[in-house]
Amino acid sequence: MTIATAGAASANGSGTTGSAVTGSGITGTADTGSAVTDRGSGSGSGSVSKSGGSFTLRTSDRFAAPRAKGGSAALTYDRRVPVGAEIQVGQRVRPKSMKIEVAVRGAARNRTYGVHVHTRPCGAKPDSSGPHYQHRKDPRQPSVSARYANPRNEVWLDFATDKHGSGSAVARQKWTFRKGEARSVVLHEHATSTHNGKAGQAGDRLACFTVPFESGAPGKGGRPLPGLMPSGESGDLPS
């Protein structure tokens, strides 16, 4: 399938509203519309590449039940993210900044999802993905302080789907992930709260996608990981 986002909005990850994902799959990149070919069919696929001191990753899959055969990296725990819905995540890393994109197709129609990067891979239970990734860790967990749980210190990718169940979002950060500490993207039941005492909360975890995010050392990365296509097939993610 060919996946590309069309005109996704960006607000530093703070509740961005997605636009339609068009064509026979989810479409190319939000800024340029350039496409990346995904040869996967629900088994997990993607691409990685290095260029000019940056690292680009793009990976996609179809949501499956936690105990379904096939080993999908995308798991759904709730019918509000239907089995078979598609997700794609892209990452562009530079030494001191990064851009994260998410796009879905076939999700619930006309619905807002709270979406965040989490610290652990997806598992059989919704809570397997651990807490939100935080650039500056809140010493009190679970973190509900707006000082730490905010779109500048976490990666928020909230989006609203259209009448076809398609949506997308972009987040840009002036920092990069610590190695091995960002492992998944989780879709929640409603938009993310910004109110102190409830900051970062977005309701039940409906679905999860395990993503091999790269840390801020692009010159040392770039090897294709298990389940990803050979490098050189990635679309660009301009900052």
Side-chain angles (χ1 to χ4, degrees), residues 5 30 35 55 79 84 112 118 151 161 176 183 199:
T5 51
F55 176 99
R79 62 184 180 181
T112 297
H118 283 241
T161 56
T176 60
R183 305 293 301 279

Side-chain angles (χ1 to χ4, degrees), residues 32-84:
T32 65
S34 59
V36 53
T37 300
D38 180 348
R39 297 172 182 167
S41 180
S43 59
S45 59
S47 60
V48 293
S49 65
K50 292 189 298 181
S51 177
S54 65
F55 176 99
T56 301
L57 173 147
R58 191 177 293 277
T59 183
S60 63
D61 213 331
R62 296 178 187 268
F63 286 103
R67 293 177 176 81
K69 295 181 180 180
S72 177
L75 303 177
T76 178
Y77 311 105
D78 191 284
R79 62 184 180 181
R80 287 170 285 186
V81 178
V83 169

Side-chain angles (χ1 to χ4, degrees), residues 62-218:
R62 296 178 187 268
F63 286 103
R67 293 177 176 81
K69 295 181 180 180
S72 177
L75 303 177
T76 178
Y77 311 105
D78 191 284
R79 62 184 180 181
R80 287 170 285 186
V81 178
V83 169
E86 302 166 81
I87 184 169
Q88 177 172 280
V89 171
Q91 181 192 24
R92 171 72 174 262
V93 182
R94 291 178 173 170
K96 295 182 180 180
S97 66
M98 66 177 176
K99 174 182 175 182
I100 306 292
E101 298 177 358
V102 64
V104 300
R105 190 182 74 154
R109 300 175 181 179
N110 301 311
R111 182 181 187 88
T112 297
Y113 293 94
V115 185
H116 319 112
V117 172
H118 283 241
T119 60
R120 298 175 187 167
C122 311
K125 297 181 179 180
D127 288 344
S128 298
S129 53
H132 296 181
Y133 180 92
Q134 294 185 323
H135 179 55
R136 293 177 58 240
K137 293 183 179 181
D138 187 343
R140 299 185 64 179
Q141 295 293 329
S143 180
V144 291
S145 167
R147 181 178 179 183
Y148 294 93
N150 63 66
R152 297 171 301 283
N153 193 51
E154 301 181 347
V155 178
W156 293 10
L157 292 155
D158 292 15
F159 60 80
T161 56
D162 62 14
K163 63 182 180 181
H164 304 292
S166 298
S168 59
V170 179
R172 293 177 174 84
Q173 303 295 355
K174 296 181 180 179
W175 43 264
T176 60
F177 294 131
R178 293 179 294 275
K179 188 174 181 62
E181 293 190 32
R183 305 293 301 279
S184 60
V185 171
V186 174
L187 277 62
H188 295 255
E189 67 173 323
H190 57 69
T192 308
S193 174
T194 58
H195 298 293
N196 201 39
K198 294 184 177 180
Q201 295 186 355
D204 291 344
R205 303 182 189 198
L206 306 182
C208 180
F209 182 32
T210 298
V211 179
F213 285 117
E214 177 67 16
S215 62

